[in-house]
């Protein structure tokens, strides 16, 4: 089973989403946890690699299984000046009701919970 860490970054009830090379959909920033890393360490590394930003603070939000993944999500406060890296080609600020195509994990697990809590 693959273990991943994902960032939940919300500003003005909008959620930061990223996409990669010809993916055709968006997802939350983050990625796989490498051997010897904690979920927090993996997320800090991924945020630097994908968006060139440092995490100012993070707090575990929810953990769940989706298909063959064990996903740990964190609410994150980050530095400014987002810039796409090699793995990420674009980012958007998603708001509820957007027609943006998103990953299944996001659509089925995270968006309903974020909406229920009034975060987006």
């Amino acid at each position: 089973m693959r273990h991943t860490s994902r960032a939940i970054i919300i500003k003005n009830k909008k959620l930061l989403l990223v996409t990669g090379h010809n993916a055709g959909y968006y997802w939350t920033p983050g990625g796989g946890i490498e051997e010897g890393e904690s979920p927090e360490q993996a997320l800090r590394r991924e945020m630097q690699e994908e968006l060139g930003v440092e995490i100012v603070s993070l707090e575990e939000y929810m953990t769940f299984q989706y298909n063959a993944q064990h996903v740990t999500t964190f609410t994150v406060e980050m530095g400014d000046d987002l810039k796409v890296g090699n793995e990420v080609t674009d980012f958007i600020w998603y708001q509820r009701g957007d027609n943006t195509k998103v990953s299944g994990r996001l659509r089925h697990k995270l968006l309903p919970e974020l909406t229920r809590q009034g975060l987006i």
Side-chain angles (χ1 to χ4, degrees):
M1 178 168 294
R2 184 169 188 245
H3 292 244
T4 63
S5 284
R6 297 282 168 190
I8 306 299
I9 302 165
I10 298 171
K11 288 186 181 179
N12 302 319
K13 294 203 171 212
K14 295 179 182 178
L15 175 66
L16 179 67
L17 299 179
V18 298
T19 191
H21 302 278
N22 301 314
Y25 60 94
Y26 286 80
W27 58 86
T28 50
I33 299 171
E34 295 177 357
E35 188 171 330
E37 279 185 320
S38 69
E40 294 89 348
Q41 290 168 326
L43 189 57
R44 288 180 187 280
R45 176 183 49 76
E46 289 285 347
M47 290 293 291
Q48 186 59 237
E49 290 173 2
E50 292 182 359
L51 297 169
V53 295
E54 299 291 328
I55 292 176
V56 175
S57 66
L58 63 112
E59 184 176 326
E60 190 168 326
Y61 178 67
M62 69 185 284
T63 299
F64 59 90
Q65 307 285 336
Y66 187 78
N67 293 335
Q69 287 189 46
H70 176 86
V71 182
T72 303
T73 63
F74 295 88
T75 55
V76 170
E77 182 183 333
M78 64 177 186
D80 291 331
D81 299 328
L82 294 172
K83 52 187 172 276
V84 295
N86 292 332
E87 299 172 18
V88 169
T89 58
D90 193 20
F91 64 88
I92 62 167
W93 289 97
Y94 172 91
Q95 63 184 358
R96 191 173 54 173
D98 281 356
N99 290 326
T100 304
K101 188 172 181 183
V102 298
S103 71
R105 170 188 67 243
L106 183 59
R107 182 176 54 254
H108 297 296
K109 293 289 187 176
L110 289 174
L111 289 179
E113 187 60 23
L114 293 169
T115 300
R116 186 188 70 74
Q117 291 183 357
L119 297 172
I120 61 168

